[in-house]
Amino acid sequence: MACIVAKTVGLEVLQWGLVAVPVFVTGHQLTSSGNSTLSANQGGSFIAIGKLSLVAYWMILLGSFLLVTLAVYLPVKIFLYRQRQSTSATLEWRPSILLYNLLSALPCYVMILVGIQTPLSNVNAKLYEDAIYVTTPTILLCLIATEWVAKWKEDDNFSSDMAEAMLNDFHTAYDIMELISLGLDDDIASKTWPIFAIFFFSFLAMFKYVPRSPKYKNEEEESGNSRAKNWLLTNIFVQDLPFFTLRVTLIGLYGLKAGELLYPAKSAAGLVFRSLQLYLMRKEKGKVAPSTSEKSIAPEELDLEEKDETMDVEDLPTETLEG
């Protein structure tokens, strides 16, 4: 019992830490990049945010995060824990991923977008490079780790299917990173809407982890089929379709850069293959569905037919045998 409690508490603390790390890494990158909202104070040796000292900035950031933890994160976790205790039903989605996206990834992306909207091109480029090489990888790695912790809670056994799913998590993270790196192009970076579109669709793709993926490939139960369908639809509408649309639009407006053709082709392939999977699932479900003639036969009639076929001679009435 003590081991189970320790594991539960440890995993919850780990998930909370994964929410916290990207926020403070992003805050550090904002203060160290020297963007226009951060200026050297002429009367002292400390960096100031406008008229706010760096110490006050960190205190506000820390206080805001703790307030959100106490007001949102902790109450939601307690509610979900009590709900799991009161019912044996398994959730078809992962609340931990939703909380991570809303309380960690979203604030980080907002801070990055606010920071890079500066009139100083060199500072803008420096902060965007930090977002590419430091901040965004941290956000994605913590997202993947949150996903793995959720899987660990669901199943202690590390199966081959789980290993393959973890590998796919890195493929998604790499796809997001490649989309964000498009903003390093001067033509794209000089416009506001492509940068906001890139970050919006990158953030949207993080919600692909919210639905629970099918646990096993050979899962044939109805809940497993429903879960697989929801997972495929989520992948299509939060990653494959938006990424394909945005990449084709940027190619049409700003030209075909070296290597860019591979990524819209990958998104198009994802659309085709996942749509094909949905079609095959629907077709297979139609095959295994009971026919109308079978449904029209009542269970009592089936029982009587089975009894007639298995009736022994000794069970027949005496009059019938004598006749």
PDB file of all heavy atoms in Angstrom, residues 166-198:
ATOM      1  N   MET A 166       5.799   5.735 -28.031  1.00  0.00           N
ATOM      2  CA  MET A 166       6.762   6.727 -27.545  1.00  0.00           C
ATOM      3  C   MET A 166       7.641   7.245 -28.681  1.00  0.00           C
ATOM      4  O   MET A 166       7.985   8.429 -28.726  1.00  0.00           O
ATOM      5  CB  MET A 166       7.618   6.107 -26.437  1.00  0.00           C
ATOM      6  CG  MET A 166       6.869   5.880 -25.138  1.00  0.00           C
ATOM      7  SD  MET A 166       7.902   5.138 -23.860  1.00  0.00           S
ATOM      8  CE  MET A 166       6.788   5.202 -22.453  1.00  0.00           C
ATOM      9  N   LEU A 167       8.005   6.363 -29.595  1.00  0.00           N
ATOM     10  CA  LEU A 167       8.790   6.795 -30.750  1.00  0.00           C
ATOM     11  C   LEU A 167       7.983   7.753 -31.621  1.00  0.00           C
ATOM     12  O   LEU A 167       8.515   8.751 -32.134  1.00  0.00           O
ATOM     13  CB  LEU A 167       9.236   5.573 -31.554  1.00  0.00           C
ATOM     14  CG  LEU A 167      10.138   5.849 -32.767  1.00  0.00           C
ATOM     15  CD1 LEU A 167      11.438   6.514 -32.327  1.00  0.00           C
ATOM     16  CD2 LEU A 167      10.437   4.551 -33.511  1.00  0.00           C
ATOM     17  N   ASN A 168       6.698   7.485 -31.783  1.00  0.00           N
ATOM     18  CA  ASN A 168       5.838   8.384 -32.553  1.00  0.00           C
ATOM     19  C   ASN A 168       5.712   9.754 -31.891  1.00  0.00           C
ATOM     20  O   ASN A 168       5.511  10.768 -32.579  1.00  0.00           O
ATOM     21  CB  ASN A 168       4.449   7.759 -32.733  1.00  0.00           C
ATOM     22  CG  ASN A 168       4.464   6.570 -33.667  1.00  0.00           C
ATOM     23  OD1 ASN A 168       5.294   6.490 -34.567  1.00  0.00           O
ATOM     24  ND2 ASN A 168       3.555   5.634 -33.455  1.00  0.00           N
ATOM     25  N   ASP A 169       5.810   9.793 -30.563  1.00  0.00           N
ATOM     26  CA  ASP A 169       5.778  11.076 -29.865  1.00  0.00           C
ATOM     27  C   ASP A 169       6.920  11.972 -30.318  1.00  0.00           C
ATOM     28  O   ASP A 169       6.749  13.183 -30.516  1.00  0.00           O
ATOM     29  CB  ASP A 169       5.856  10.863 -28.352  1.00  0.00           C
ATOM     30  CG  ASP A 169       4.615  10.182 -27.804  1.00  0.00           C
ATOM     31  OD1 ASP A 169       3.587  10.176 -28.509  1.00  0.00           O
ATOM     32  OD2 ASP A 169       4.673   9.651 -26.683  1.00  0.00           O
ATOM     33  N   PHE A 170       8.101  11.398 -30.494  1.00  0.00           N
ATOM     34  CA  PHE A 170       9.241  12.179 -30.962  1.00  0.00           C
ATOM     35  C   PHE A 170       9.060  12.620 -32.411  1.00  0.00           C
ATOM     36  O   PHE A 170       9.509  13.705 -32.800  1.00  0.00           O
ATOM     37  CB  PHE A 170      10.535  11.375 -30.807  1.00  0.00           C
ATOM     38  CG  PHE A 170      11.129  11.460 -29.431  1.00  0.00           C
ATOM     39  CD1 PHE A 170      11.061  10.393 -28.564  1.00  0.00           C
ATOM     40  CD2 PHE A 170      11.757  12.630 -29.005  1.00  0.00           C
ATOM     41  CE1 PHE A 170      11.612  10.480 -27.288  1.00  0.00           C
ATOM     42  CE2 PHE A 170      12.302  12.723 -27.741  1.00  0.00           C
ATOM     43  CZ  PHE A 170      12.232  11.641 -26.877  1.00  0.00           C
ATOM     44  N   HIS A 171       8.415  11.798 -33.228  1.00  0.00           N
ATOM     45  CA  HIS A 171       8.135  12.198 -34.601  1.00  0.00           C
ATOM     46  C   HIS A 171       7.237  13.434 -34.634  1.00  0.00           C
ATOM     47  O   HIS A 171       7.457  14.352 -35.438  1.00  0.00           O
ATOM     48  CB  HIS A 171       7.466  11.048 -35.356  1.00  0.00           C
ATOM     49  CG  HIS A 171       8.391   9.906 -35.627  1.00  0.00           C
ATOM     50  ND1 HIS A 171       7.944   8.655 -36.005  1.00  0.00           N
ATOM     51  CD2 HIS A 171       9.740   9.810 -35.583  1.00  0.00           C
ATOM     52  CE1 HIS A 171       8.980   7.848 -36.170  1.00  0.00           C
ATOM     53  NE2 HIS A 171      10.070   8.527 -35.918  1.00  0.00           N
ATOM     54  N   THR A 172       6.236  13.465 -33.770  1.00  0.00           N
ATOM     55  CA  THR A 172       5.358  14.633 -33.695  1.00  0.00           C
ATOM     56  C   THR A 172       6.123  15.862 -33.234  1.00  0.00           C
ATOM     57  O   THR A 172       5.956  16.960 -33.785  1.00  0.00           O
ATOM     58  CB  THR A 172       4.189  14.354 -32.738  1.00  0.00           C
ATOM     59  OG1 THR A 172       3.433  13.249 -33.225  1.00  0.00           O
ATOM     60  CG2 THR A 172       3.283  15.567 -32.618  1.00  0.00           C
ATOM     61  N   ALA A 173       6.973  15.697 -32.227  1.00  0.00           N
ATOM     62  CA  ALA A 173       7.765  16.826 -31.726  1.00  0.00           C
ATOM     63  C   ALA A 173       8.683  17.373 -32.817  1.00  0.00           C
ATOM     64  O   ALA A 173       8.843  18.591 -32.969  1.00  0.00           O
ATOM     65  CB  ALA A 173       8.584  16.385 -30.509  1.00  0.00           C
ATOM     66  N   TYR A 174       9.288  16.486 -33.584  1.00  0.00           N
ATOM     67  CA  TYR A 174      10.167  16.920 -34.669  1.00  0.00           C
ATOM     68  C   TYR A 174       9.383  17.667 -35.742  1.00  0.00           C
ATOM     69  O   TYR A 174       9.851  18.666 -36.299  1.00  0.00           O
ATOM     70  CB  TYR A 174      10.871  15.708 -35.285  1.00  0.00           C
ATOM     71  CG  TYR A 174      11.869  16.065 -36.357  1.00  0.00           C
ATOM     72  CD1 TYR A 174      13.126  16.562 -36.019  1.00  0.00           C
ATOM     73  CD2 TYR A 174      11.552  15.910 -37.699  1.00  0.00           C
ATOM     74  CE1 TYR A 174      14.041  16.903 -37.004  1.00  0.00           C
ATOM     75  CE2 TYR A 174      12.457  16.246 -38.689  1.00  0.00           C
ATOM     76  CZ  TYR A 174      13.704  16.738 -38.337  1.00  0.00           C
ATOM     77  OH  TYR A 174      14.602  17.080 -39.316  1.00  0.00           O
ATOM     78  N   ASP A 175       8.174  17.207 -36.027  1.00  0.00           N
ATOM     79  CA  ASP A 175       7.328  17.872 -37.017  1.00  0.00           C
ATOM     80  C   ASP A 175       6.987  19.286 -36.558  1.00  0.00           C
ATOM     81  O   ASP A 175       6.999  20.244 -37.349  1.00  0.00           O
ATOM     82  CB  ASP A 175       6.059  17.045 -37.235  1.00  0.00           C
ATOM     83  CG  ASP A 175       5.350  17.409 -38.531  1.00  0.00           C
ATOM     84  OD1 ASP A 175       5.975  18.054 -39.388  1.00  0.00           O
ATOM     85  OD2 ASP A 175       4.176  17.049 -38.682  1.00  0.00           O
ATOM     86  N   ILE A 176       6.682  19.444 -35.281  1.00  0.00           N
ATOM     87  CA  ILE A 176       6.374  20.769 -34.732  1.00  0.00           C
ATOM     88  C   ILE A 176       7.594  21.679 -34.804  1.00  0.00           C
ATOM     89  O   ILE A 176       7.500  22.860 -35.163  1.00  0.00           O
ATOM     90  CB  ILE A 176       5.863  20.643 -33.288  1.00  0.00           C
ATOM     91  CG1 ILE A 176       4.500  19.921 -33.264  1.00  0.00           C
ATOM     92  CG2 ILE A 176       5.723  22.019 -32.637  1.00  0.00           C
ATOM     93  CD1 ILE A 176       3.991  19.625 -31.874  1.00  0.00           C
ATOM     94  N   MET A 177       8.756  21.143 -34.454  1.00  0.00           N
ATOM     95  CA  MET A 177       9.977  21.936 -34.515  1.00  0.00           C
ATOM     96  C   MET A 177      10.273  22.409 -35.930  1.00  0.00           C
ATOM     97  O   MET A 177      10.707  23.551 -36.145  1.00  0.00           O
ATOM     98  CB  MET A 177      11.148  21.115 -33.977  1.00  0.00           C
ATOM     99  CG  MET A 177      11.188  20.981 -32.465  1.00  0.00           C
ATOM    100  SD  MET A 177      11.295  22.564 -31.610  1.00  0.00           S
ATOM    101  CE  MET A 177      12.718  23.293 -32.389  1.00  0.00           C
ATOM    102  N   GLU A 178      10.062  21.560 -36.904  1.00  0.00           N
ATOM    103  CA  GLU A 178      10.302  21.943 -38.291  1.00  0.00           C
ATOM    104  C   GLU A 178       9.336  23.042 -38.737  1.00  0.00           C
ATOM    105  O   GLU A 178       9.702  23.929 -39.509  1.00  0.00           O
ATOM    106  CB  GLU A 178      10.160  20.714 -39.207  1.00  0.00           C
ATOM    107  CG  GLU A 178      11.339  19.774 -39.138  1.00  0.00           C
ATOM    108  CD  GLU A 178      12.623  20.420 -39.612  1.00  0.00           C
ATOM    109  OE1 GLU A 178      12.572  21.273 -40.532  1.00  0.00           O
ATOM    110  OE2 GLU A 178      13.684  20.098 -39.061  1.00  0.00           O
ATOM    111  N   LEU A 179       8.099  22.975 -38.242  1.00  0.00           N
ATOM    112  CA  LEU A 179       7.147  24.024 -38.597  1.00  0.00           C
ATOM    113  C   LEU A 179       7.576  25.363 -37.998  1.00  0.00           C
ATOM    114  O   LEU A 179       7.543  26.395 -38.677  1.00  0.00           O
ATOM    115  CB  LEU A 179       5.745  23.638 -38.111  1.00  0.00           C
ATOM    116  CG  LEU A 179       4.628  24.619 -38.480  1.00  0.00           C
ATOM    117  CD1 LEU A 179       4.400  24.628 -39.992  1.00  0.00           C
ATOM    118  CD2 LEU A 179       3.337  24.269 -37.760  1.00  0.00           C
ATOM    119  N   ILE A 180       7.984  25.367 -36.739  1.00  0.00           N
ATOM    120  CA  ILE A 180       8.394  26.606 -36.091  1.00  0.00           C
ATOM    121  C   ILE A 180       9.663  27.172 -36.734  1.00  0.00           C
ATOM    122  O   ILE A 180       9.840  28.396 -36.830  1.00  0.00           O
ATOM    123  CB  ILE A 180       8.600  26.368 -34.583  1.00  0.00           C
ATOM    124  CG1 ILE A 180       7.258  26.040 -33.919  1.00  0.00           C
ATOM    125  CG2 ILE A 180       9.210  27.596 -33.909  1.00  0.00           C
ATOM    126  CD1 ILE A 180       7.344  25.784 -32.441  1.00  0.00           C
ATOM    127  N   SER A 181      10.544  26.300 -37.185  1.00  0.00           N
ATOM    128  CA  SER A 181      11.796  26.765 -37.792  1.00  0.00           C
ATOM    129  C   SER A 181      11.569  27.525 -39.093  1.00  0.00           C
ATOM    130  O   SER A 181      12.473  28.224 -39.569  1.00  0.00           O
ATOM    131  CB  SER A 181      12.727  25.577 -38.042  1.00  0.00           C
ATOM    132  OG  SER A 181      12.186  24.696 -39.012  1.00  0.00           O
ATOM    133  N   LEU A 182      10.369  27.414 -39.682  1.00  0.00           N
ATOM    134  CA  LEU A 182      10.069  28.198 -40.884  1.00  0.00           C
ATOM    135  C   LEU A 182      10.149  29.693 -40.602  1.00  0.00           C
ATOM    136  O   LEU A 182      10.413  30.496 -41.498  1.00  0.00           O
ATOM    137  CB  LEU A 182       8.676  27.850 -41.418  1.00  0.00           C
ATOM    138  CG  LEU A 182       8.473  26.437 -41.970  1.00  0.00           C
ATOM    139  CD1 LEU A 182       7.026  26.239 -42.393  1.00  0.00           C
ATOM    140  CD2 LEU A 182       9.400  26.175 -43.142  1.00  0.00           C
ATOM    141  N   GLY A 183       9.932  30.071 -39.346  1.00  0.00           N
ATOM    142  CA  GLY A 183       9.999  31.486 -38.984  1.00  0.00           C
ATOM    143  C   GLY A 183      11.385  32.072 -39.037  1.00  0.00           C
ATOM    144  O   GLY A 183      11.549  33.293 -38.928  1.00  0.00           O
ATOM    145  N   LEU A 184      12.417  31.245 -39.192  1.00  0.00           N
ATOM    146  CA  LEU A 184      13.778  31.755 -39.331  1.00  0.00           C
ATOM    147  C   LEU A 184      14.011  32.367 -40.707  1.00  0.00           C
ATOM    148  O   LEU A 184      14.985  33.096 -40.908  1.00  0.00           O
ATOM    149  CB  LEU A 184      14.796  30.628 -39.085  1.00  0.00           C
ATOM    150  CG  LEU A 184      14.836  30.071 -37.654  1.00  0.00           C
ATOM    151  CD1 LEU A 184      15.772  28.883 -37.584  1.00  0.00           C
ATOM    152  CD2 LEU A 184      15.268  31.151 -36.668  1.00  0.00           C
ATOM    153  N   ASP A 185      13.160  32.051 -41.670  1.00  0.00           N
ATOM    154  CA  ASP A 185      13.282  32.651 -42.989  1.00  0.00           C
ATOM    155  C   ASP A 185      12.942  34.140 -42.911  1.00  0.00           C
ATOM    156  O   ASP A 185      11.959  34.534 -42.288  1.00  0.00           O
ATOM    157  CB  ASP A 185      12.336  31.944 -43.961  1.00  0.00           C
ATOM    158  CG  ASP A 185      12.451  32.500 -45.371  1.00  0.00           C
ATOM    159  OD1 ASP A 185      13.398  32.118 -46.084  1.00  0.00           O
ATOM    160  OD2 ASP A 185      11.587  33.330 -45.737  1.00  0.00           O
ATOM    161  N   ASP A 186      13.753  34.972 -43.534  1.00  0.00           N
ATOM    162  CA  ASP A 186      13.580  36.426 -43.433  1.00  0.00           C
ATOM    163  C   ASP A 186      12.249  36.891 -43.997  1.00  0.00           C
ATOM    164  O   ASP A 186      11.603  37.785 -43.441  1.00  0.00           O
ATOM    165  CB  ASP A 186      14.733  37.140 -44.149  1.00  0.00           C
ATOM    166  CG  ASP A 186      16.066  36.922 -43.455  1.00  0.00           C
ATOM    167  OD1 ASP A 186      16.048  36.633 -42.246  1.00  0.00           O
ATOM    168  OD2 ASP A 186      17.119  37.024 -44.123  1.00  0.00           O
ATOM    169  N   ASP A 187      11.825  36.299 -45.119  1.00  0.00           N
ATOM    170  CA  ASP A 187      10.560  36.714 -45.729  1.00  0.00           C
ATOM    171  C   ASP A 187       9.376  36.418 -44.819  1.00  0.00           C
ATOM    172  O   ASP A 187       8.445  37.220 -44.694  1.00  0.00           O
ATOM    173  CB  ASP A 187      10.371  36.020 -47.083  1.00  0.00           C
ATOM    174  CG  ASP A 187      11.401  36.473 -48.111  1.00  0.00           C
ATOM    175  OD1 ASP A 187      11.895  37.604 -47.973  1.00  0.00           O
ATOM    176  OD2 ASP A 187      11.700  35.685 -49.020  1.00  0.00           O
ATOM    177  N   ILE A 188       9.407  35.247 -44.183  1.00  0.00           N
ATOM    178  CA  ILE A 188       8.312  34.867 -43.291  1.00  0.00           C
ATOM    179  C   ILE A 188       8.377  35.652 -41.988  1.00  0.00           C
ATOM    180  O   ILE A 188       7.355  36.100 -41.459  1.00  0.00           O
ATOM    181  CB  ILE A 188       8.358  33.346 -43.021  1.00  0.00           C
ATOM    182  CG1 ILE A 188       8.123  32.585 -44.333  1.00  0.00           C
ATOM    183  CG2 ILE A 188       7.322  32.946 -41.973  1.00  0.00           C
ATOM    184  CD1 ILE A 188       8.211  31.084 -44.193  1.00  0.00           C
ATOM    185  N   ALA A 189       9.590  35.836 -41.448  1.00  0.00           N
ATOM    186  CA  ALA A 189       9.746  36.531 -40.168  1.00  0.00           C
ATOM    187  C   ALA A 189       9.364  38.002 -40.253  1.00  0.00           C
ATOM    188  O   ALA A 189       9.011  38.612 -39.239  1.00  0.00           O
ATOM    189  CB  ALA A 189      11.193  36.399 -39.681  1.00  0.00           C
ATOM    190  N   SER A 190       9.423  38.573 -41.448  1.00  0.00           N
ATOM    191  CA  SER A 190       9.084  39.985 -41.599  1.00  0.00           C
ATOM    192  C   SER A 190       7.585  40.243 -41.543  1.00  0.00           C
ATOM    193  O   SER A 190       7.155  41.393 -41.441  1.00  0.00           O
ATOM    194  CB  SER A 190       9.644  40.522 -42.926  1.00  0.00           C
ATOM    195  OG  SER A 190       9.063  39.826 -44.032  1.00  0.00           O
ATOM    196  N   LYS A 191       6.785  39.193 -41.626  1.00  0.00           N
ATOM    197  CA  LYS A 191       5.334  39.316 -41.558  1.00  0.00           C
ATOM    198  C   LYS A 191       4.834  38.811 -40.202  1.00  0.00           C
ATOM    199  O   LYS A 191       5.390  37.872 -39.631  1.00  0.00           O
ATOM    200  CB  LYS A 191       4.665  38.535 -42.682  1.00  0.00           C
ATOM    201  CG  LYS A 191       5.178  38.878 -44.083  1.00  0.00           C
ATOM    202  CD  LYS A 191       4.823  40.294 -44.469  1.00  0.00           C
ATOM    203  CE  LYS A 191       5.299  40.587 -45.897  1.00  0.00           C
ATOM    204  NZ  LYS A 191       4.984  41.962 -46.326  1.00  0.00           N
ATOM    205  N   THR A 192       3.771  39.409 -39.721  1.00  0.00           N
ATOM    206  CA  THR A 192       3.252  39.032 -38.398  1.00  0.00           C
ATOM    207  C   THR A 192       2.377  37.797 -38.458  1.00  0.00           C
ATOM    208  O   THR A 192       2.509  36.884 -37.647  1.00  0.00           O
ATOM    209  CB  THR A 192       2.454  40.199 -37.793  1.00  0.00           C
ATOM    210  OG1 THR A 192       3.313  41.331 -37.652  1.00  0.00           O
ATOM    211  CG2 THR A 192       1.903  39.812 -36.422  1.00  0.00           C
ATOM    212  N   TRP A 193       1.471  37.743 -39.440  1.00  0.00           N
ATOM    213  CA  TRP A 193       0.487  36.654 -39.442  1.00  0.00           C
ATOM    214  C   TRP A 193       1.107  35.273 -39.623  1.00  0.00           C
ATOM    215  O   TRP A 193       0.621  34.305 -38.998  1.00  0.00           O
ATOM    216  CB  TRP A 193      -0.592  36.910 -40.489  1.00  0.00           C
ATOM    217  CG  TRP A 193      -0.199  36.632 -41.915  1.00  0.00           C
ATOM    218  CD1 TRP A 193       0.242  37.525 -42.833  1.00  0.00           C
ATOM    219  CD2 TRP A 193      -0.206  35.356 -42.571  1.00  0.00           C
ATOM    220  NE1 TRP A 193       0.520  36.901 -44.019  1.00  0.00           N
ATOM    221  CE2 TRP A 193       0.244  35.572 -43.893  1.00  0.00           C
ATOM    222  CE3 TRP A 193      -0.550  34.063 -42.178  1.00  0.00           C
ATOM    223  CZ2 TRP A 193       0.372  34.542 -44.814  1.00  0.00           C
ATOM    224  CZ3 TRP A 193      -0.431  33.027 -43.095  1.00  0.00           C
ATOM    225  CH2 TRP A 193       0.010  33.267 -44.395  1.00  0.00           C
ATOM    226  N   PRO A 194       2.174  35.091 -40.440  1.00  0.00           N
ATOM    227  CA  PRO A 194       2.735  33.735 -40.528  1.00  0.00           C
ATOM    228  C   PRO A 194       3.307  33.241 -39.202  1.00  0.00           C
ATOM    229  O   PRO A 194       3.172  32.057 -38.871  1.00  0.00           O
ATOM    230  CB  PRO A 194       3.833  33.875 -41.587  1.00  0.00           C
ATOM    231  CG  PRO A 194       3.474  35.070 -42.380  1.00  0.00           C
ATOM    232  CD  PRO A 194       2.839  35.992 -41.406  1.00  0.00           C
ATOM    233  N   ILE A 195       3.936  34.142 -38.444  1.00  0.00           N
ATOM    234  CA  ILE A 195       4.511  33.739 -37.153  1.00  0.00           C
ATOM    235  C   ILE A 195       3.403  33.311 -36.196  1.00  0.00           C
ATOM    236  O   ILE A 195       3.500  32.269 -35.534  1.00  0.00           O
ATOM    237  CB  ILE A 195       5.335  34.887 -36.543  1.00  0.00           C
ATOM    238  CG1 ILE A 195       6.481  35.268 -37.484  1.00  0.00           C
ATOM    239  CG2 ILE A 195       5.870  34.494 -35.175  1.00  0.00           C
ATOM    240  CD1 ILE A 195       7.464  34.153 -37.716  1.00  0.00           C
ATOM    241  N   PHE A 196       2.328  34.104 -36.137  1.00  0.00           N
ATOM    242  CA  PHE A 196       1.219  33.744 -35.254  1.00  0.00           C
ATOM    243  C   PHE A 196       0.553  32.454 -35.724  1.00  0.00           C
ATOM    244  O   PHE A 196       0.155  31.621 -34.898  1.00  0.00           O
ATOM    245  CB  PHE A 196       0.197  34.886 -35.204  1.00  0.00           C
ATOM    246  CG  PHE A 196       0.541  35.954 -34.220  1.00  0.00           C
ATOM    247  CD1 PHE A 196       1.378  37.014 -34.574  1.00  0.00           C
ATOM    248  CD2 PHE A 196       0.047  35.909 -32.934  1.00  0.00           C
ATOM    249  CE1 PHE A 196       1.692  37.994 -33.661  1.00  0.00           C
ATOM    250  CE2 PHE A 196       0.363  36.889 -32.000  1.00  0.00           C
ATOM    251  CZ  PHE A 196       1.195  37.947 -32.369  1.00  0.00           C
ATOM    252  N   ALA A 197       0.428  32.273 -37.038  1.00  0.00           N
ATOM    253  CA  ALA A 197      -0.170  31.038 -37.560  1.00  0.00           C
ATOM    254  C   ALA A 197       0.702  29.834 -37.242  1.00  0.00           C
ATOM    255  O   ALA A 197       0.205  28.759 -36.868  1.00  0.00           O
ATOM    256  CB  ALA A 197      -0.373  31.156 -39.074  1.00  0.00           C
ATOM    257  N   ILE A 198       2.015  29.989 -37.368  1.00  0.00           N
ATOM    258  CA  ILE A 198       2.942  28.896 -37.065  1.00  0.00           C
ATOM    259  C   ILE A 198       2.828  28.475 -35.610  1.00  0.00           C
ATOM    260  O   ILE A 198       2.725  27.272 -35.291  1.00  0.00           O
ATOM    261  CB  ILE A 198       4.386  29.314 -37.419  1.00  0.00           C
ATOM    262  CG1 ILE A 198       4.581  29.335 -38.941  1.00  0.00           C
ATOM    263  CG2 ILE A 198       5.391  28.378 -36.764  1.00  0.00           C
ATOM    264  CD1 ILE A 198       5.892  29.942 -39.386  1.00  0.00           C
TER     265      ILE A 198
END
